[in-house]
Amino acid sequence: MEHSMWILSLTADAASGGAAAPWWLRWGLLVAGALALAALMVLVQTRHRPPRGALWALVILGVPILGPTTYFIVETVRHRREYPSSSGEPPPTPGR
């Protein structure tokens, strides 16, 4: 609870008597939150083996900005390796 109050106090205006946070810090928090939310939404919709999904969630939430960015890059590369055609179908198995 105190943590969320601290974040809210960062966005307070100087006119209200509180110390206002610099604009770049407010934007940084907004970007980090939006990236984490987007990555978590993709994570929930993607099938991962049990320990892998939990580890990705820890990385996304534990490493602001770099965690979600890494998740998006790694999962995009993995998906393109598994589904190289533009149709999104799995590649044909060898020998068939």
Side-chain angles (χ1 to χ4, degrees):
M1 184 70 170
E2 289 181 27
H3 184 328
S4 61
M5 295 304 288
W6 176 78
I7 291 175
L8 290 175
S9 71
L10 287 176
T11 59
D13 289 327
S16 66
W23 66 268
W24 53 266
L25 181 58
R26 285 183 269 161
W27 276 102
L29 287 172
L30 184 67
V31 168
L35 267 174
L37 181 63
L40 287 173
M41 289 172 63
V42 172
L43 178 68
V44 169
Q45 295 175 2
T46 306
R47 292 183 186 165
H48 292 288
R49 286 173 278 178
R52 189 175 187 188
L55 289 174
W56 271 122
L58 288 174
V59 168
I60 290 168
L61 293 173
V63 186
I65 298 179
L66 285 179
T69 304
T70 302
Y71 175 73
F72 285 134
I73 292 169
V74 168
E75 287 303 310
T76 300
V77 169
R78 183 190 62 81
H79 181 76
R80 288 190 178 172
R81 262 193 208 136
E82 289 181 10
Y83 306 103
S85 69
S86 61
S87 66
E89 297 177 13
T93 55
R96 287 189 178 189

